Amino acid sequence: MTNKTRKMTQEEMRWRAEDDARIMAQYQEIMNDKARMSRATKEANRQARDLQKRANVMKQVSNRGRKNGK
């Protein structure tokens, strides 16, 4: 069964709500701290650049396979 088709139990829904509440509190803390927000934004940009580099490499690998008739 996949997560989309399986119904969550009451306990799973409670755990998810607790986790979501913690995430929302952390989000608010970050948004209210300019220095922390700046560091988080810079890190997000760094991670995005790294992911883009990896995606470009994967695209090159994919294109080579087509050029060689595979």
Side-chain angles (χ1 to χ4, degrees):
M1 261 188 260
T2 66
N3 284 341
K4 291 181 182 176
T5 59
R6 184 177 65 84
K7 293 204 183 238
M8 285 195 294
T9 66
Q10 290 293 332
E11 184 177 344
E12 289 171 322
M13 286 190 286
R14 182 182 55 76
W15 179 88
R16 179 174 277 180
E18 290 172 357
D19 193 47
D20 289 346
R22 280 190 293 273
I23 290 168
M24 290 169 63
Q26 289 174 335
Y27 168 81
Q28 200 60 48
E29 289 172 7
I30 293 167
M31 296 302 290
N32 291 331
D33 184 335
K34 288 183 181 182
R36 189 173 176 190
M37 181 64 179
S38 177
R39 289 189 303 269
T41 301
K42 288 176 185 175
E43 178 59 19
N45 286 326
R46 185 195 65 77
Q47 288 183 23
R49 284 191 307 273
D50 289 348
L51 287 169
Q52 188 61 54
K53 287 177 189 176
R54 182 157 172 76
N56 290 338
V57 169
M58 294 301 286
K59 185 72 172 171
Q60 289 173 355
V61 169
S62 172
N63 288 337
R64 282 191 199 129
R66 284 190 227 149
K67 290 178 183 176
N68 292 332
K70 294 181 181 177

